[in-house]
């Protein structure tokens, strides 16, 4: 089991919240998240919590970019060995579609195109992972994932082409 880092949280009344982390190398990092959204990243002396060695302010977009850099990508190693160009598109079920009122299974979309209908959006509802018995309605939007060719084939199929 991989070791986990311990982060402590301290409320700073009138300011925001401070998060502290001591690294395995003994460095003390703090991030102060201000109530207005600003963030201050600082390094402290582990022997004297009040002795700040260095600090820098991060704008919201800088904090987001830094968090993305620091967050491990659990599938990065797979991408190095495998090139899959998947696309996701929203495909409307229009008036001319032969599948209005018919089931997902009737389309045989995955078998015919290799692409998958992974969700259906209907007005304010979403239906993730619809079953083959799911019945399409006029105005539905299909969320389709597959290769460019497969997704285009589903669009043509649903449009009635």
């Amino acid at each position: 089991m991989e070791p986990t880092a311990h982060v402590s949280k301290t409320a700073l009344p009138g300011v925001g919240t401070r998060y502290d982390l001591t690294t395995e190398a003994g460095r003390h990092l703090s991030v102060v998240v201000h109530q207005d959204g600003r963030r201050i990243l600082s390094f402290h002396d582990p022997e004297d919590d009040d002795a700040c060695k260095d600090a820098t302010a991060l704008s919201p977009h800088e904090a987001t970019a830094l968090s993305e850099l620091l967050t491990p990508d659990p599938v990065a190693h797979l991408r190095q060995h495998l090139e899959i160009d998947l696309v996701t598109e929203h495909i409307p079920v229009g008036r001319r579609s032969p599948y209005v009122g018919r089931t997902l299974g009737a389309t045989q979309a995955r078998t015919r195109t290799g692409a998958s209908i992974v969700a259906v959006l209907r007005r304010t509802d979403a239906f993730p992972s619809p079953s083959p018995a799911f019945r399409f309605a006029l105005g539905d939007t299909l969320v389709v994932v597959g290769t460019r060719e497969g997704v285009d084939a589903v669009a043509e199929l649903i449009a009635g082409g």
Side-chain angles (χ1 to χ4, degrees):
M1 181 177 218
E2 203 171 299
T4 58
H6 175 71
V7 176
S8 63
K9 179 179 175 181
T10 306
L12 302 173
V15 176
T17 305
R18 182 171 116 181
Y19 299 91
D20 295 293
L21 168 77
T22 300
T23 68
E24 289 179 13
R27 301 287 311 263
H28 182 152
L29 285 147
S30 291
V31 176
V32 175
V33 179
H34 289 257
Q35 291 171 339
D36 65 4
R38 290 179 299 133
R39 281 148 169 78
I40 307 294
L41 174 64
S42 57
F43 296 91
H44 295 272
D45 180 344
E47 302 299 318
D48 181 3
D49 196 42
D50 291 327
C52 181
K53 292 182 174 183
D54 198 6
T56 188
L58 299 172
S59 68
H61 69 275
E62 292 167 335
T64 299
L66 180 59
S67 72
E68 288 173 4
L69 291 172
L70 295 174
T71 303
D73 184 347
V75 295
H77 66 284
L78 296 175
R79 280 193 218 106
Q80 293 173 358
H81 306 292
L82 190 59
E83 285 286 326
I84 299 177
D85 291 322
L86 293 179
V87 295
T88 303
E89 281 202 11
H90 291 187
I91 298 173
V93 178
R95 292 191 209 300
R96 295 184 182 182
S97 175
Y99 295 100
V100 172
R102 294 179 64 197
T103 65
L104 169 60
T107 68
Q108 297 182 332
R110 189 174 320 147
T111 302
R112 293 167 74 178
T113 69
S116 296
I117 298 171
V118 298
V120 178
L121 309 176
R122 181 177 290 160
R123 293 184 189 92
T124 59
D125 290 325
F127 301 91
S129 303
S131 73
F134 185 89
R135 199 165 292 280
F136 296 131
L138 178 64
D140 282 353
T141 299
L142 311 181
V143 180
V144 181
V145 176
T147 62
R148 171 81 276 146
E149 296 81 16
V151 170
D152 288 346
V154 171
E156 188 173 324
L157 176 70
I158 297 301

